[in-house]
Amino acid sequence: MTTRELAELDKAILWHPFTPMREWTAPAHEPLVLARGRGAWVWDRDGRAWLDGNSSIWTNIHGHGHPKLLAALREQAERVAHTSFLGFTNEPAIRLAAALVALCAPSALARVFYTDDGSTAIECALKMTVQFWQQSGRPQRREFLAFDHAYHGDTFGAASLGGIPLFHERFSRFGLPVRQVAGEASLEALSAEDIDRLAAVVIEPLIQGAAGMRRWPEGMLRRLRAWCDAHDVLLIFDEVMTGFGRTGTMFACQQEAVWPDFLCLAKGLTGGLLPLAATLTTGRVYDAFLGAPEEGKTFFYGHSYCGNPLACAVALASLEIFREENVLAALPPKIDHLRHELAALQARFPQHLHEIRQCGFIAGIEIQRGHMTRHGAPLTAAAVCLAAREFGLLTRPVMGETIVLMLPLCATEEDIAHAVSAVGQALEREITR
Ligand SMILES: *Cc1c(COP(=O)(O)O)cnc(C)c1O
């Protein structure tokens, strides 16, 4: 099939996530049919190359086609690709769990539950929380506290925590009891009765991703931990985006030396090769689920592909790459370089850029509203992202007119300069001066 025929077939039968399909299927829209990846770059079927500017929707860590990850995948596939984790176990899953717990030392996180993606990692933490309180003599603790603009995934439970009206409003009344608050100050306004109903506080540590790469105030995680401890409320960290080096440390919460009662990991866990997620929790939570089977304390929850050996083998290899290639130690100069490039970009477009926010190797470039493009349409982050394709960069915006730059950690200083330059060229082309 030609690329054109493939694209037409896609338009005829597919339904894409987070995609206005009338625009997607419009005759003028030519979907990119991506076919190949190496390092921080991807190619389409016709050989055109782009820098993977959002790490393939925030998943890729060591680049595409890393030989060690491919070898781990092949070796495990030769043995067995999938066996059940319900009543059986397997070596890659065991070794990965030990490695994840070791990464969190010293902390109380000591148990690992596998799921498939970020949403189910959260879903699992929510269900464990509810059942934990039921089995700890505090069944009234059934409400979750989440923050405005939060994004924790799209299953009903995870979406109930969501604070982005465009995504979440229509579903929120079907979901869990959730108290949505603006920030940490709102905690002080809660009454003793309010607090007594709280099961857990859920937060994306350091930075909210989908909300537009918005940073939390410094020290917030520490203060949240202290507040939760003082009121015996559990704390859930959603590190689905921030985990595995994105913010400069393995996990974002390490920057404030704070650990949660639940640590939810997904996107980067396998380096971006396969779907896999993990929910880590403490011995305190785990112990509440122990008892004779007839006591009914078992956690009756799981998915067909829990503990998938292929994904676990690849995740283990990804953690080995972190060690062997000193990935975290190589980040500070790249993060500095990114900061430097972004500052130059901001200086070049003082009117058209509202703000640039950076957290480690993650950047959000917010467009100033109210400007027009040379086509006479409002200047949007989406328009700039589309134009950036012509300058060799693939990415997409998040809420609040914010362009995401989140390169794989293997990106070189040259790649970083290329990415920022592509955004600059795209802006230059789109705007009318
Ligand atoms: C992407 C994301 C999720 C959801 O993960 P999926 O794998 O898409 O289900 C949850 N939380 C955060 C912070 C995310 O960025």
Side-chain angles (χ1 to χ4, degrees):
M1 279 173 114
T2 65
T3 301
R4 199 182 171 79
E5 285 166 343
L6 278 173
E8 288 311 314
L9 186 55
D10 176 297
K11 288 184 181 185
I13 60 167
L14 277 165
W15 192 342
H16 286 262
F18 284 87
T19 303
M21 290 304 292
R22 201 178 67 179
E23 322 273 296
W24 176 272
T25 54
H29 176 237
E30 291 176 31
L32 294 187
V33 185
L34 298 176
R36 208 163 72 76
R38 270 293 170 276
W41 291 76
V42 290
W43 283 259
D44 74 357
R45 294 178 95 236
D46 305 324
R48 291 183 296 174
W50 295 272
L51 188 60
D52 189 356
N54 75 351
S55 290
S56 293
I57 204 69
W58 315 356
T59 59
N60 197 285
I61 300 288
H62 306 298
H64 296 277
H66 193 293
K68 191 172 175 93
L69 298 182
L70 297 186
L73 182 62
R74 256 185 240 113
E75 278 166 31
Q76 185 57 41
E78 293 290 340
R79 289 190 197 102
V80 65
H82 185 63
T83 51
S84 171
F85 217 52
L86 283 68
F88 306 100
T89 191
N90 67 75
E91 182 176 343
I94 297 166
R95 291 179 50 212
L96 176 62
L100 290 174
V101 167
L103 281 180
C104 297
S107 82
L109 297 168
R111 285 279 161 183
V112 179
F113 195 102
Y114 289 117
T115 59
D116 303 334
D117 50 47
S119 305
T120 52
I122 295 288
E123 209 73 27
C124 169
L126 298 182
K127 284 200 168 179
M128 281 181 176
T129 298
V130 168
Q131 192 171 337
F132 167 78
W133 288 120
Q134 288 172 353
Q135 291 170 184
S136 303
R138 307 285 292 279
Q140 80 283 5
R141 284 208 184 275
R142 56 190 296 278
E143 203 172 278
F144 291 91
L145 186 138
F147 292 93
D148 289 350
H149 313 292
Y151 180 80
H152 297 292
D154 292 327
T155 54
F156 260 111
S160 305
L161 304 170
I164 299 176
L166 179 66
F167 299 167
H168 300 126
E169 206 158 56
R170 73 178 71 245
F171 297 118
S172 59
R173 69 197 148 93
F174 293 89
L176 307 179
V178 174
R179 178 181 290 269
Q180 207 89 38
V181 302
E184 50 186 321
S186 315
L187 296 179
E188 298 313 321
L190 297 178
S191 69
E193 295 79 59
D194 290 339
I195 294 172
D196 198 47
R197 282 195 298 271
L198 276 190
V201 171
V202 190
I203 187 169
E204 297 157 78
L206 293 195
I207 179 170
Q208 289 186 320
M213 301 304 162
R214 295 156 58 115
R215 291 201 61 153
W216 289 116
E218 223 175 294
M220 179 164 172
L221 299 180
R222 263 197 311 276
R223 293 189 292 274
L224 266 187
R225 179 75 268 182
W227 188 90
C228 286
D229 287 344
H231 298 99
D232 198 21
V233 172
L234 298 178
L235 184 55
I236 302 173
F237 283 171
D238 177 350
E239 294 239 17
V240 171
M241 175 191 80
T242 51
F244 303 101
R246 287 283 178 217
T247 68
T249 45
M250 187 55 94
F251 304 116
C253 61
Q254 290 173 294
Q255 296 191 27
E256 295 197 5
V258 170
W259 293 99
D261 300 288
F262 292 95
L263 181 67
C264 299
L265 305 172
K267 289 191 171 103
L269 175 54
T270 61
L273 252 76
L274 290 169
L276 177 69
T279 302
L280 276 69
T281 191
T282 62
R284 179 194 177 202
V285 169
Y286 170 79
D287 286 347
F289 291 74
L290 300 179
E294 57 274 19
E295 287 179 77
K297 289 185 172 178
T298 303
F299 189 50
F300 288 110
Y301 176 96
H303 300 284
S304 317
Y305 283 94
C306 277
N308 175 249
L310 268 189
C312 291
V314 172
L316 260 174
S318 171
L319 296 183
E320 277 165 28
I321 294 171
F322 269 102
R323 284 194 300 275
E324 288 171 6
E325 298 183 12
N326 286 316
V327 171
L328 295 178
L331 277 177
K334 295 186 190 188
I335 290 169
D336 282 348
H337 192 68
L338 178 62
R339 182 171 296 111
H340 179 80
E341 293 282 338
L342 291 172
L345 183 73
Q346 176 76 70
R348 188 172 153 208
F349 299 97
Q351 278 144 38
H352 294 87
L353 295 181
H354 172 68
E355 187 178 61
I356 299 182
R357 295 176 290 272
Q358 186 183 352
C359 181
F361 211 38
I362 303 170
I365 302 167
E366 186 174 347
I367 301 292
Q368 178 64 52
R369 288 170 184 75
H371 290 287
M372 302 301 281
T373 66
R374 64 192 168 97
H375 315 290
L379 180 68
T380 61
V384 178
C385 288
L386 195 62
R389 287 186 189 181
E390 288 170 42
F391 303 102
L393 176 73
L394 286 191
T395 188
R396 60 183 271 135
V398 280
M399 300 304 295
E401 291 306 332
T402 298
I403 301 163
V404 174
L405 274 192
M406 191 191 297
L407 301 175
L409 304 188
C410 69
T412 61
E413 293 197 359
E414 222 173 7
D415 293 331
I416 295 165
H418 174 89
V420 178
S421 155
V423 173
Q425 286 174 280
L427 257 172
E428 189 65 57
R429 217 204 58 184
E430 285 302 295
I431 61 181
T432 51
R433 291 261 190 194

